[in-house]
Amino acid sequence: MNKQIDPQDRNIKSLFQDFYRVPDYQREYVWGETDPRGEGGEEVEQFLSDIYSEYQNASKNDAPEYFIGTVVVCREAGDVFDLIDGQQRTTTAYLTLCALRDKLVALKADVPEELPGQIIYSSTNWQGETTQSLRLDLQYEDAGDVLRRYAEGAGTDAPSDGTRSIRNLYNAYLTIKEFIETTLKNDPAEVRRFYGYFTNKVKIIRIETPTVAVALKIFETINDRGVGLDAMDLLKNLLFMNAKGEEFSKLKAVWKQLTDAIYQANEKPLRFLRYYLLAAHDVDGRLREDAIYDWFRKNAEQTNHEKKPLAFAGKLLDAAKAYAHFAKGQNVAGEEEAGIINTRLLGGKSIKQHFILLLAGRSLSPANFSKLADDLEKTMFVWLLTGTSGKEYERRIIEAAHQLNKISDAQLELFLEKTLRAERQTLALEFRRTLLGLKTWQLRGFRLRYLLAKLTQYIDLQAYGSSASRDRLSDYTAGGNDIEHILASNASFEAMEEFGEGAADIHIRQCLGNLLLIEKAINRALQNGRYSGKIVAYEQSKFLLTKCQADAAAHEVGKDDRITATVRKLESWQTWNAVAVTERQEFLSKLAEVVWDIPMPSASSN
């Protein structure tokens, strides 16, 4: 066996005179991939447009060469090369050959004699039996046998959905087909000329290695520090490089489950990887995504990924499954977790730093995990309301995660007191000051809705107890409910006259104290009328806080029942004016301190 590393200057024509297979442990085909909004997938288009730009510089007698990169291969036995690095561009080049042939066939034009053999090689034995072999074979399960459809000229009928690779191969083929139709104008002569340039002048360096291990090391060197591939791909390579041959199939299966879990949750793999490290290991919060791979190279003793790559991959898979559940508002077991769902309603889709602490606590008992999620929700609201920067609260979350890793279930209460609850106490006075002066424009719409919904839900739970509907904050934040301005922003003359002094002051109208949550159907009838007329409609609301706006005492039903006990803690206003707005804002602020469990600092600590 040749023990040397052999770099070879190849063009596409000579490249596809050989056979290649992408081993089943390799990453999927990801060029052409789009996100749920239909964005992304520019790699194939860029690949073609870059080649076409050079093609346009060709003269009648000469043309510039165009270099598209390197591929790393290994031939341990037989005539087939294992493709260790470069499968994205190699697969795209192969699909381009398929699409060029298909277009010429569709145009009923002559297909260059060499072209079919660059896609499928036919061989006839002495018995007259003909076999056909694809020049490129994708062996990972995610691709199925779909590449054969493109190779055999059935690209237009190939499946467009199924697995990740099947979707991406379809998107890539479609992009190439559109390129031929639009840029090459469906002109047979132009298609053949571009084919000639593509196969003769597009160059690639093929690095042939004696063993897979050597190939993997070269792959790592070429892609060091995330150039060309990201840390997730490089980590996968690192694990396979340290794995034993008999572990490859198991490692491949684990890695596929891991990436599928993150992909299906529409999450970013690098964000997950960074959060996992911050949650599970003693990692500085300043770790950037582009530095993750370097961290793994320097800290193998922390993760043990070099000595036991399969075991490490298993731990990473467990974390990925939990992370995917968190992204769906679920606990580790995949059950709805109110604290996580509510934090999504509070923070929107972009705020996910709290996942770091959830990952650190994923081994807690279900009851304790719920406590952690609940306390996290409360603390996240305090951070966001008081304007704590994302960088700062992420730092505090990471510190808490490092502490959580060192405790048992029995110590959770003490941990919460010293971390999340202590954070809320530290910010208690700022929390109160912010709420007392809060105006609508100081909070994003969904966060203001969360605030009012949470206050309204709390009163209902206190009065009526738990139920399927009342337990779900989303039932309160849902589109069927409105944020009502008691003195409307466009109040009628009669309403302003009844309100009195300050009615025209936008600061009063946009105060938290001037807002309540009410069903949309009731709100439609309210419009911009007088408070004395509105309070009749407020009485019809199912939300006790809204129902009691004008007369709480009217809703007492007994002496010692929980509804009456709750109602007696509420304040109400028969008339509505600037003083009432201030009073109600103070009332809601005090209520918020209870709802979000804000322990006020003692006088001695002030």
Side-chain angles (χ1 to χ4, degrees):
M1 179 184 293
N2 178 18
K3 299 295 184 182
Q4 302 300 313
I5 296 172
D6 182 17
Q8 305 155 3
D9 182 355
R10 297 269 177 153
N11 58 17
I12 297 297
K13 178 187 292 188
S14 65
L15 185 73
F16 286 109
Q17 288 175 352
D18 291 318
F19 299 97
Y20 304 91
R21 63 185 169 210
V22 180
D24 58 4
Y25 57 81
Q26 284 281 25
R27 74 191 300 211
E28 304 91 342
Y29 181 72
V30 296
W31 280 16
E33 182 161 281
T34 58
D35 63 20
R37 298 170 296 177
E39 298 177 356
E42 300 90 356
E43 301 93 345
V44 177
E45 188 174 343
Q46 190 67 51
F47 174 85
L48 293 169
S49 63
D50 288 347
I51 293 171
Y52 185 73
S53 293
E54 289 300 310
Y55 165 75
Q56 287 182 301
N57 293 324
S59 65
K60 183 177 181 180
N61 299 315
D62 195 20
E65 293 183 335
Y66 183 72
F67 176 64
I68 60 170
T70 61
V71 297
V72 181
V73 301
C74 172
R75 179 165 57 185
E76 291 191 314
D79 297 326
V80 181
F81 289 98
D82 278 351
L83 188 56
I84 306 302
D85 185 28
Q87 79 126 321
Q88 305 298 321
R89 63 178 68 91
T90 304
T91 304
T92 305
Y94 188 78
L95 285 173
T96 301
L97 292 174
C98 295
L100 287 166
R101 177 206 57 197
D102 295 347
K103 178 52 64 177
L104 289 171
V105 170
L107 294 172
K108 298 181 179 179
D110 291 337
V111 176
E113 187 176 342
E114 293 177 321
L115 178 50
Q118 292 164 346
I119 299 171
I120 300 179
Y121 174 74
S122 296
S123 176
T124 304
N125 64 18
W126 68 271
Q127 294 176 318
E129 299 168 334
T130 300
T131 58
Q132 293 186 326
S133 303
L134 303 190
R135 293 291 184 182
L136 179 65
D137 178 21
L138 307 180
Q139 293 196 320
Y140 47 81
E141 295 175 8
D142 191 68
D145 199 29
V146 72
L147 194 62
R148 180 170 290 277
R149 301 288 292 276
Y150 295 102
E152 293 175 346
T156 53
D157 299 322
S160 61
D161 205 356
T163 68
R164 184 183 186 186
S165 284
I166 287 174
R167 287 193 293 272
N168 295 338
L169 288 166
Y170 176 81
N171 289 337
Y173 180 81
L174 198 63
T175 300
I176 300 166
K177 183 171 176 286
E178 289 175 352
F179 164 81
I180 296 170
E181 292 170 351
T182 57
T183 307
L184 303 181
K185 310 297 183 184
N186 272 341
D187 179 356
E190 188 69 8
V191 173
R192 279 196 299 270
R193 188 167 184 263
F194 180 80
Y195 161 76
Y197 178 84
F198 181 70
T199 54
N200 287 279
K201 294 297 185 178
V202 174
K203 306 299 287 289
I204 197 164
I205 299 297
R206 189 179 78 180
I207 302 175
E208 185 176 346
T209 66
T211 64
V212 171
V214 173
L216 287 168
K217 287 179 181 177
I218 293 174
F219 167 93
E220 179 187 46
T221 302
I222 291 173
N223 294 284
D224 193 22
R225 302 188 65 83
V227 177
L229 295 178
D230 62 32
M232 200 74 177
D233 299 311
L234 293 171
L235 174 60
K236 176 185 176 182
N237 174 71
L238 187 62
L239 296 181
F240 275 100
M241 194 164 64
N242 286 283
K244 298 174 183 176
E246 62 269 20
E247 294 178 325
F248 274 28
S249 60
K250 289 182 179 179
L251 188 53
K252 177 207 72 171
V254 170
W255 196 265
K256 179 168 172 34
Q257 291 179 63
L258 188 159
T259 52
D260 282 352
I262 299 299
Y263 176 75
Q264 289 167 9
N266 290 323
E267 287 296 313
K268 296 180 179 179
L270 284 185
R271 177 188 283 163
F272 156 70
L273 198 54
R274 177 175 181 268
Y275 283 4
Y276 169 78
L277 290 177
L278 293 171
H281 297 283
D282 187 16
V283 178
D284 192 306
R286 291 172 294 182
L287 177 71
R288 302 188 315 273
E289 289 182 356
D290 60 3
I292 289 174
Y293 182 65
D294 279 350
W295 185 92
F296 273 108
R297 290 293 306 275
K298 297 173 183 176
N299 293 276
E301 72 286 350
Q302 280 202 52
T303 61
N304 211 25
H305 64 265
E306 290 185 353
K307 293 180 179 178
K308 297 184 177 180
L310 185 58
F312 172 74
K315 292 179 181 178
L316 206 57
L317 172 60
D318 289 341
K321 288 178 178 178
Y323 187 92
H325 284 314
F326 302 158
K328 299 173 186 175
Q330 301 167 341
N331 62 16
V332 178
E335 301 161 337
E336 284 193 356
E337 188 64 63
I340 302 178
I341 295 172
N342 295 353
T343 306
R344 175 76 169 265
L345 295 173
L346 153 68
K349 296 180 180 179
S350 61
I351 292 179
K352 294 179 180 175
Q353 291 93 327
H354 57 296
F355 285 12
I356 298 170
L357 194 52
L358 294 175
L359 282 171
R362 68 185 187 279
S363 297
L364 292 169
S365 68
N368 274 347
F369 184 84
S370 292
K371 282 185 182 180
L372 175 66
D374 180 62
D375 257 289
L376 248 176
E377 177 202 346
K378 292 172 181 175
T379 310
M380 284 296 298
F381 178 67
V382 173
W383 280 329
L384 293 169
L385 185 76
T386 57
T388 305
S389 71
K391 183 177 181 180
E392 179 58 26
Y393 63 68
E394 181 182 275
R395 183 184 66 79
R396 298 177 191 181
I397 286 172
I398 294 167
E399 289 175 353
H402 292 168
Q403 294 179 48
L404 185 55
N405 284 325
K406 300 172 184 176
I407 70 163
S408 65
D409 256 73
Q411 298 170 303
L412 181 68
E413 274 296 319
L414 181 59
F415 163 80
L416 293 175
E417 289 293 338
K418 289 185 174 181
T419 55
L420 298 180
R421 294 169 190 170
E423 279 290 319
R424 300 202 296 275
Q425 184 174 43
T426 299
L427 293 169
L429 295 177
E430 182 65 17
F431 181 84
R432 175 182 290 175
R433 184 194 66 77
T434 302
L435 280 178
L436 287 174
L438 189 66
K439 308 294 189 297
T440 57
W441 60 77
Q442 293 172 312
L443 281 184
R444 297 179 66 180
F446 66 86
R447 199 158 292 154
L448 183 64
R449 182 175 288 269
Y450 164 88
L451 166 57
L452 289 168
K454 192 79 174 175
L455 295 172
T456 304
Q457 179 197 41
Y458 176 81
I459 295 301
D460 284 349
L461 287 171
Q462 291 296 303
Y464 308 123
S466 178
S467 75
S469 178
R470 285 190 290 273
D471 288 346
R472 289 192 299 265
L473 186 64
S474 56
D475 280 12
Y476 290 80
T477 60
N481 301 321
D482 282 343
I483 295 177
E484 150 77 350
H485 286 69
I486 300 172
L487 174 65
S489 298
N490 59 340
S492 66
F493 174 78
E494 293 79 11
M496 294 179 68
E497 188 176 45
E498 181 181 89
F499 186 88
E501 186 178 351
D505 188 343
I506 189 173
H507 291 82
I508 291 178
R509 298 185 194 189
Q510 301 303 325
C511 278
L512 173 64
N514 191 49
L515 308 177
L516 53 76
L517 195 70
I518 197 167
E519 297 88 336
K520 189 181 289 291
I522 298 175
N523 197 32
R524 285 198 191 101
L526 294 175
Q527 297 183 352
N528 57 358
R530 296 176 298 173
Y531 180 70
S532 57
K534 284 186 171 187
I535 58 178
V536 178
Y538 293 162
E539 290 276 348
Q540 307 306 312
S541 176
K542 67 179 179 182
F543 304 139
L544 189 59
L545 186 60
T546 301
K547 188 188 290 285
C548 292
Q549 168 64 21
D551 188 2
H555 299 284
E556 295 181 14
V557 296
K559 287 187 177 182
D560 300 316
D561 64 282
R562 62 189 300 171
I563 296 176
T564 300
T566 302
V567 166
R568 286 175 178 171
K569 295 176 184 177
L570 301 180
E571 296 183 23
S572 54
W573 294 266
Q574 288 287 334
T575 59
W576 198 243
N577 51 38
V579 172
V581 172
T582 300
E583 289 176 351
R584 188 167 183 273
Q585 186 129 349
E586 291 175 351
F587 163 71
L588 293 179
S589 298
K590 291 177 182 177
L591 178 59
E593 292 171 10
V594 176
V595 173
W596 281 278
D597 188 18
I598 311 296
M600 281 294 163
S602 62
S604 60
S605 64
N606 290 340

